[in-house]
Amino acid sequence: MKARILIAEDDANIRLGLMAVLESEGHAVTAASDGAQALKLYPQMKYDLVVLDIMMPGMSGYDVCREIRARDPRVPVLFLSAKGEEIDKVVGLKLGADDYMTKPFGVHELLARVEALLRRARSGAASAAPGSNPAAAALPPVFRLGAAAIDRRRFTAALPGAEPVTLTARELRLAEEFAAHPGEVLTRDALLNAVWGVDYYGTTRTLDQHIAQLRRKIDPPGAKSSAITTLHGTGYRHDPAPPPGG
């Protein structure tokens, strides 16, 4: 299916190459030469995927991703970078990126990752709505995870006495999985399959970083323990707190 893709890449040769490859697959591609231009283009169309180079003059891909995530927690974001250090991937994942490719990369790998992101986004569009995720079908529109109230309609988490914070689509799906399986051990593979899809190309490091971000949004500052327990070598478990007076 044809997709609308926004690319931000300051290297003209790479930018034209990306356009040619993606357009040859039938996608409609809009290209920006820097981050500021990408943010001007983004509101003009409903994009199915955003591809961001990280190191751009003026406004980095990180900055663009942060701005886009503030407007839309669902659109898939793919980072491109000549850097391969782990810290770059961690920062990107914290900002809500869905995948990460290090230059140079092959055309076939690029197309495989793009198609996987588009496929997951299309299959996940319906599951993001309340009641349409099988594992979370019984959850109300607003449910509790740890100390936080999770609003599935607004993509937010709110701790008592604090302003709500935005959840990415992945964070919301993880929250739903944990709330739908209280006390159960959820393996890393099971969570990746449920939230990212069985065709996910990445590693469990992506899952671990997203859960770390989710914990920051659902655990009170200074909490001695998290609502999501790590089971080393296995996965994670959510142990609901007993109701007040229970």
Side-chain angles (χ1 to χ4, degrees):
M1 184 183 296
K2 185 177 181 179
R4 296 174 295 274
I5 301 176
L6 174 62
I7 295 172
E9 167 63 66
D10 64 305
D11 186 307
N13 290 329
I14 296 177
R15 185 170 65 250
L16 292 173
L18 289 169
M19 290 181 65
V21 169
L22 294 173
E23 288 176 346
S24 71
E25 294 295 306
H27 301 305
V29 182
T30 303
S33 59
D34 58 41
Q37 185 183 18
L39 284 181
K40 290 180 181 179
L41 292 169
Y42 184 77
Q44 299 177 16
M45 185 180 297
K46 178 65 175 178
Y47 288 101
D48 302 299
L49 174 67
V50 179
V51 180
L52 299 174
D53 181 38
I54 290 180
M55 301 306 293
M56 292 186 289
M59 178 175 283
S60 72
Y62 294 144
D63 297 327
V64 178
C65 183
R66 186 181 294 108
E67 292 289 334
I68 287 177
R69 277 286 171 261
R71 306 176 192 181
D72 187 348
R74 303 186 191 188
V75 63
V77 175
L78 170 62
F79 270 142
L80 306 177
S81 176
K83 289 187 172 183
E85 290 81 6
E86 183 70 16
I87 185 61
D88 290 328
K89 298 181 182 181
V90 171
V91 171
L93 293 171
K94 285 182 178 180
L95 291 174
D98 295 272
D99 207 349
Y100 190 111
M101 292 186 67
T102 303
K103 304 172 187 175
F105 47 80
V107 170
H108 294 297
E109 182 186 5
L110 170 68
L111 291 176
R113 288 178 182 265
V114 165
E115 291 306 317
L117 285 172
L118 291 172
R119 187 162 54 249
R120 290 198 299 271
R122 288 163 182 154
S123 65
S127 67
S132 56
N133 171 13
L139 293 175
V142 179
F143 64 90
R144 182 184 176 193
L145 187 67
I150 309 296
D151 191 321
R152 303 168 70 192
R153 299 163 299 188
R154 294 182 171 84
F155 282 69
T156 60
L159 289 167
E163 290 294 319
V165 295
T166 300
L167 296 173
T168 68
R170 302 278 187 234
E171 290 166 353
L172 175 62
R173 291 285 282 109
L174 283 170
E176 290 175 339
E177 288 295 319
F178 284 118
H181 300 93
E184 295 182 28
V185 176
L186 301 179
T187 68
R188 284 178 168 82
D189 285 342
L191 287 168
L192 284 169
N193 290 342
V195 178
W196 277 263
V198 295
D199 55 359
Y200 178 61
Y201 282 84
T203 68
T204 56
R205 178 66 172 167
T206 299
L207 170 66
D208 296 339
Q209 288 298 329
H210 277 79
I211 288 180
Q213 284 298 103
L214 179 60
R215 281 171 166 157
R216 293 186 180 96
K217 298 177 180 180
I218 66 170
D219 294 333
K224 294 182 179 179
S225 62
S226 174
I228 300 172
T229 301
T230 300
L231 302 174
H232 295 288
T234 305
Y236 296 91
R237 185 184 66 233
H238 165 53
D239 294 314

